[in-house]
Amino acid sequence: QVQLAESGGGSVQTGGSLRLSCAASGHTFRNYAVGWFRQVPGKEREFVAAISWSGGITYYADSVRGRFTISRDNAKNTVSLLMNMLKPEDTAVYYCAATITTIPRAARQYDYWGQGTQVTVSS
């Protein structure tokens, strides 16, 4: 069992930066791939980025590649998402999720989810 908790959301202006953190409980967290997703009202949850259990493999959505960076510290049971050059279209609730399988990009393939943190980017 893995429990996840996101933090670091907030309100910024276009071009600003935020760092989201996903803190996990459970000593086996290092065995899990972790993904970040985002969701706006009325739309499906959208893949943002994912990282392998070792941190050696990362994937990004085209819309964030080059602006966002996902990383993890297994010693601290945390995964971070550094978001630079934020745009109004990045406004959403951001969720982290974990799965024991390989690094999926589909939300349905993740087993554990946090409660989400709101990110608002104003123009």
Side-chain angles (χ1 to χ4, degrees), residues 27-117:
H27 65 282
T28 61
F29 176 68
R30 66 187 64 210
N31 296 331
Y32 287 75
V34 174
W36 283 96
F37 291 78
R38 63 188 182 188
Q39 190 170 25
V40 298
K43 291 191 176 182
E44 291 187 356
R45 202 160 288 190
E46 175 190 21
F47 171 77
V48 175
I51 190 166
S52 64
W53 66 271
S54 68
I57 300 173
T58 57
Y59 293 123
Y60 295 94
D62 289 343
S63 58
V64 307
R65 187 176 293 110
R67 300 188 297 123
F68 291 11
T69 303
I70 188 171
S71 61
R72 69 188 297 162
D73 184 340
N74 285 338
K76 297 182 179 179
N77 277 7
T78 59
V79 173
S80 297
L81 184 68
L82 176 62
M83 305 186 296
N84 293 323
M85 296 181 287
L86 284 162
K87 305 174 181 180
E89 51 263 45
D90 294 318
T91 296
V93 176
Y94 283 71
Y95 299 88
C96 65
T99 177
I100 197 66
T101 61
T102 55
I103 319 167
R105 300 176 183 117
R108 66 181 182 277
Q109 293 180 281
Y110 283 82
D111 303 306
Y112 304 102
W113 291 84
Q115 294 299 308
T117 184

